[in-house]
């Protein structure tokens, strides 16, 4: 949902580039922009309008005239007719929308030769946006990014290989949302190496360890119990799973 601020001018903040494209598509075809807001303006009122470009930064400043309010079957809001502003034009908005649709907004700038230099110069939000469609060379750079959003979008990348997911699964920046993404993917969770990497990640929550460790063989579970690097919560789960299979394991000396 977009955030609308109305005063002497109108400011629109879209939640994502996708939402901006969806909600401005009709405007670029000569239609109206609908803004969901409880702020009432009479038909015919004109305001300066700033559309803030999400994730990418900057804004397009246009003119807007209120055509009408919302119909009874619509949420409260305003229907606006947009026109060129003193400096920015509708054609600039159309250009930005076109680049977002095509993905060209994420393409390498001419003259740049280093993907790492290009990616490091991006804002965190833009790096996350790139991660969802990054090629192998770009993914190698993004996989080292500390921003959890980048990891989230990397795991959504359809080109991600099993080996890449294994490397990501061992990262200490993983949180429960990332683990959930991996656990929901049957192709990844049928991989024995993947399950063991997850089990050995100290960030794995105990309630998720219950799911992962149920899939491990007894020798691996015993190694987890005996390893000094296993967290106390994962060790507890490993002991419970072994006991459920009739295997009694003595507590590791010094373990809590």
């Amino acid at each position: 949902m977009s955030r609308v601020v109305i005063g002497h001018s109108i400011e629109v903040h879209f939640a994502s580039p996708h939402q901006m494209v969806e909600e401005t598509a009709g405007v670029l075809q000569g239609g109206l922009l609908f803004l969901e807001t409880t702020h009432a303006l009479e038909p015919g009122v004109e305001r300066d309008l700033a559309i803030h470009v999400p994730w990418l930064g900057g804004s397009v400043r246009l003119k807007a005239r209120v055509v009408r309010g919302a119909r009874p079957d619509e949420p409260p809001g305003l229907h606006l007719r947009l026109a060129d502003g003193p400096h920015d034009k509708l054609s600039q908005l159309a250009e930005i929308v076109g680049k977002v649709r095509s993905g060209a907004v994420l393409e390498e700038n001419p003259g740049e030769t280093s993907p790492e230099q290009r990616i490091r110069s991006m804002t965190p939000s833009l790096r996350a946006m790139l991660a969802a469609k990054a090629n192998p060379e770009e993914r190698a750079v993004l996989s080292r990014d500390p921003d959890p959003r980048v990891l989230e979008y990397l795991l959504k990348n359809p080109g991600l290989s099993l080996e890449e997911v294994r490397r990501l699964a061992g990262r200490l920046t993983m949180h429960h949302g990332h683990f959930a993404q991996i656990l929901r993917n049957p192709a990844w969770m049928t991989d024995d190496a993947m399950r063991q990497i997850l089990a050995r990640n100290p960030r794995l929550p105990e309630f998720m360890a219950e799911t992962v460790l149920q899939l491990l063989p007894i020798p691996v579970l015993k190694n987890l119990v005996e390893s000094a690097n296993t967290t106390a919560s994962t060790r507890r789960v490993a002991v419970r799973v072994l006991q459920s299979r009739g295997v009694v394991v003595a507590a590791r000396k010094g373990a809590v």
Side-chain angles (χ1 to χ4, degrees), residues 217-250:
I218 288 175
V220 174
L221 291 169
K222 286 183 175 180
N223 286 337
L224 285 173
V225 172
E226 295 165 2
S227 173
N229 296 322
T230 302
T231 62
S233 60
T234 298
R235 184 177 292 108
R236 284 195 298 270
V237 175
V239 169
R240 287 200 297 269
V241 174
L242 285 168
Q243 289 175 341
S244 72
R245 298 180 189 178
V247 179
V248 179
V249 181

Side-chain angles (χ1 to χ4, degrees), residues 123-135:
T123 64
S125 294
L126 191 53
R127 292 199 301 273
M129 186 176 172
L130 173 63
K133 57 174 287 182
N135 62 37

Side-chain angles (χ1 to χ4, degrees), residues 143-179:
S143 66
R144 302 191 296 273
D145 197 295
D147 191 324
R149 291 177 300 170
V150 173
L151 179 51
E152 175 189 347
Y153 280 87
L154 273 175
L155 290 169
K156 295 177 181 179
N157 189 311
L160 203 63
S161 70
L162 180 60
E163 183 56 40
E164 287 177 294
V165 184
R166 286 173 180 164
R167 289 196 293 268
L168 294 174
R171 281 182 45 168
L172 297 181
T173 53
M174 291 274 287
H175 61 51
H176 72 277
H178 302 139
F179 288 117

